[in-house]
Amino acid sequence: MARQDYETFKLGDWELQSGEKLVDAHIAYKTFGDPKSPAIVYPTWFSGAIADNLWLIGEDKTLNSKEYFIIVPALFGNGQSTSPSNYPVEGEWPRVSFYDNVRAQYKLVTEYFGITHLRAVIGWSMGGGQTFQWATQYPDFLDLAVPFCGAAKTSLHNQVFIEGVKSALLAVKGIQSAGSGHGAVLASEQTLRKWSDAEKEAGLKAFGRGYAGWGFSQAFYREKLYETAMGFKDLEDFMKNFWEAWALSKDPGNLLAMAQTWQNGDVSKQEPYNGDFEKAMAAIKAKTLVLPAKTDLYFPPEDSEYEVKCMSSGIGTLRVFPSIWGHWAGGPGDSKDDVKWLDEQLSEFFKNNSGGEKLPIR
């Protein structure tokens, strides 16, 4: 077995927003750079392992470990942090929110690393959701926030997309969804923590093929970029050896757990906002660069425009990826032109907001 290439921080029994708890929980993380440098938190995305974030870190990039102390924390449910695949307690997985994830990351940052202020939080997709969560949950704790191809609140349309792939996965076990933001309707003998090999193969392949229509845009497929840019010989090759291969590398229980977190995403679901989304967005103090993709089917620019509109004057800036790669414009590094564009936006934003940078105090 390969050596574990990340660290873990024990949280104990972790109380959740839902009133449930994760028993003997831990958060997985990896760091880059000198802990004395200004700190950046860069959370993982849906299904992503810590290593899947590394494409945006390097000495030739804005996220340079010679300039910053970069912390990559893993989502609950990703298979590295506490997840259905490594959870020692039998029964249903509890409902875990973005709030629960960010509170755990805050504990890691403050109690383990002794950091009292962050230079920035940035993230793609569900990492973008966590970025918005940081900016509203701990508004005085960070200078900059850069959510790219993500959202502060999961839209109804996005919930429907997730419900489709979730239901395809559950159908293999003869189980129905309990609805958006909820788990499954389980009979007494049924479980989502144990899957036969046949169930995994059929369910995950269906999940991957369902996802294929959403991850990239209509124009991406029209232009056949899966052939010219990614090297697949035809559409079926792409479906099998990109989408099915991706899904088959995951644990179905973990995907369902993260999907539930995603569907429930909403930064207003916390004190002192109590469901007032506009109030939550107006409370953001960190300078925020919101980067949607023009052709993203998950998080369209219209949603991002409203997020920025709700922020206080001078806080939010909106720039749109001029890309036909859809959601994949924001990661995980497959479109080299989009990586270049993103890094240029980060570099400019960091330079233009260099004032007031606070070093970590310990």
Side-chain angles (χ1 to χ4, degrees):
M1 181 179 290
R3 176 183 171 274
Q4 179 175 292
D5 192 29
Y6 57 87
E7 307 297 326
T8 57
F9 175 64
K10 292 189 177 298
L11 298 164
D13 291 347
W14 196 243
E15 300 293 333
L16 303 172
Q17 264 193 319
S18 62
E20 301 171 277
K21 66 180 177 182
L22 290 174
V23 176
D24 192 25
H26 69 271
I27 184 172
Y29 68 93
K30 187 176 178 66
T31 64
F32 304 83
D34 186 340
K36 295 179 182 178
S37 298
I40 294 174
V41 170
Y42 175 28
T44 62
W45 41 279
F46 178 77
S47 87
I50 288 169
D52 294 323
N53 271 35
L54 305 191
W55 58 274
L56 196 56
I57 300 172
E59 293 183 11
D60 61 335
K61 295 188 171 62
T62 305
L63 296 192
N64 183 349
S65 60
K66 288 192 173 182
E67 295 184 29
Y68 299 105
F69 180 56
I70 303 162
I71 305 166
V72 180
L75 268 169
F76 288 130
N78 90 318
Q80 296 171 318
S81 291
T82 295
S83 306
S85 62
N86 60 34
Y87 196 50
V89 180
E90 292 295 328
E92 289 188 56
W93 175 255
R95 184 157 56 171
V96 179
S97 67
F98 281 124
Y99 179 95
D100 300 321
N101 277 277
V102 169
R103 190 167 72 87
Q105 294 166 22
Y106 180 82
K107 185 178 179 71
L108 170 70
V109 166
T110 58
E111 295 188 15
Y112 184 73
F113 289 112
I115 295 169
T116 60
H117 195 85
L118 293 173
R119 176 58 176 148
V121 180
I122 77 165
W124 174 53
S125 197
M126 278 185 80
Q130 291 166 85
T131 301
F132 278 118
Q133 188 69 43
W134 264 101
T136 53
Q137 194 167 332
Y138 302 105
D140 294 306
F141 200 79
L142 57 154
D143 293 331
L144 306 176
V146 188
F148 47 100
C149 300
K153 180 178 181 178
T154 304
S155 70
L156 295 175
H157 185 255
N158 200 177
Q159 291 180 49
V160 169
F161 146 54
I162 303 164
E163 195 65 10
V165 291
K166 167 187 163 187
S167 297
L169 185 53
L170 290 172
V172 174
K173 293 175 73 70
I175 295 173
Q176 294 183 0
S177 168
S180 180
H182 299 280
V185 180
L186 297 174
S188 58
E189 74 283 359
Q190 290 178 317
T191 176
L192 294 179
R193 302 268 306 284
K194 295 177 182 177
W195 294 68
S196 70
D197 289 343
E199 287 172 337
K200 279 187 178 181
E201 182 176 5
L204 291 170
K205 283 182 176 181
F207 189 92
R209 284 183 179 250
Y211 223 100
W214 293 92
F216 297 95
S217 74
Q218 296 95 331
F220 172 92
Y221 283 103
R222 187 184 309 118
E223 299 294 328
K224 296 187 177 181
L225 292 185
Y226 54 87
E227 295 179 3
T228 58
M230 300 180 76
F232 294 92
K233 64 182 181 181
D234 54 29
L235 184 61
E236 184 61 17
D237 184 32
F238 184 52
M239 297 289 275
K240 285 184 176 179
N241 293 307
F242 183 86
W243 284 110
E244 285 187 359
W246 162 74
L248 287 166
S249 72
K250 308 303 176 184
D251 177 88
N254 292 351
L255 292 176
L256 291 168
M258 288 181 287
Q260 186 177 58
T261 299
W262 185 355
Q263 284 185 316
N264 283 306
D266 183 349
V267 295
S268 72
K269 292 181 179 178
Q270 57 178 317
E271 294 285 351
Y273 315 120
N274 300 309
D276 188 333
F277 180 75
E278 290 76 14
K279 182 179 179 181
M281 299 308 290
I284 294 175
K285 296 181 180 180
K287 291 292 183 68
T288 303
L289 177 62
V290 182
L291 300 172
K294 181 176 69 173
T295 55
D296 194 336
L297 301 176
Y298 305 3
F299 310 112
E302 294 85 352
D303 293 345
S304 300
E305 288 171 7
Y306 186 67
E307 290 163 348
V308 172
K309 182 180 178 181
C310 291
M311 295 178 194
S312 299
S313 177
I315 293 296
T317 300
L318 177 74
R319 292 188 180 166
V320 181
F321 278 87
S323 173
I324 66 169
W325 279 69
H327 187 60
W328 245 244
D334 291 318
S335 171
K336 303 309 177 188
D337 288 343
D338 290 323
V339 172
K340 182 176 182 291
W341 186 88
L342 172 60
D343 192 61
E344 287 172 351
Q345 301 307 310
L346 291 173
S347 177
E348 180 183 350
F349 185 63
F350 275 57
K351 288 175 183 175
N352 289 347
N353 293 280
S354 59
E357 182 172 327
K358 300 176 179 67
L359 293 176
I361 301 171
R362 294 170 174 81

